Amino acid sequence: MSLHQDSDERDFTQPIVTLSLGLPARFILGGLQRELPTQKIRLMHGDVLVFGGPARLCFHGIMPLADGLHPLLGSRRISLTFRHA
Ligand SMILES: O=C(O)CCC(=O)C(=O)O
Ligand SMILES: [Mn+2]
């Protein structure tokens, strides 16, 4: 998933909450403009990531997954994303 901003919601006062399941992923967290530097955060099975407040509109994405086999979910990653639409 390439670098993007979650900006379709009507209410930016509510955070975006994601739950990662299955294969590990590298989350790319940037700034409020696409051009700003990014950092990578490793997300493992069961990790919850919350971005809200001043980070709510930060650009973000997911690096392509490395091959692997998760003991419960096999060769896949599932991301449950909660947002106030
Ligand atoms: O897969 C993820 O953890 C991020 C998902 C995401 O950014 C989105 O659904 O907008
Ligand atoms: Mn997003």
Side-chain angles (χ1 to χ4, degrees):
M1 180 180 279
S2 60
L3 209 59
H4 67 279
Q5 209 175 19
D6 287 3
S7 56
D8 289 338
E9 300 78 19
R10 272 174 286 176
D11 183 359
F12 298 143
T13 66
Q14 302 300 315
I16 301 284
V17 179
T18 69
L19 168 64
S20 292
L21 299 171
L23 289 181
R26 277 178 298 164
F27 187 89
I28 313 163
L29 179 61
L32 293 174
Q33 283 94 41
R34 187 180 290 278
E35 303 70 33
L36 289 176
T38 60
Q39 57 182 303
K40 300 205 175 58
I41 300 170
R42 193 166 168 82
L43 294 179
M44 306 295 290
H45 177 79
D47 281 349
V48 173
L49 182 74
V50 179
F51 51 111
R56 172 62 182 75
L57 286 170
C58 282
F59 279 84
H60 60 278
I62 293 280
M63 298 283 289
L65 295 185
D67 288 341
L69 208 54
H70 186 270
L72 294 175
L73 291 176
S75 57
R76 68 176 76 93
R77 170 177 186 262
I78 297 173
S79 163
L80 300 178
T81 302
F82 302 90
R83 60 185 84 234
H84 188 243

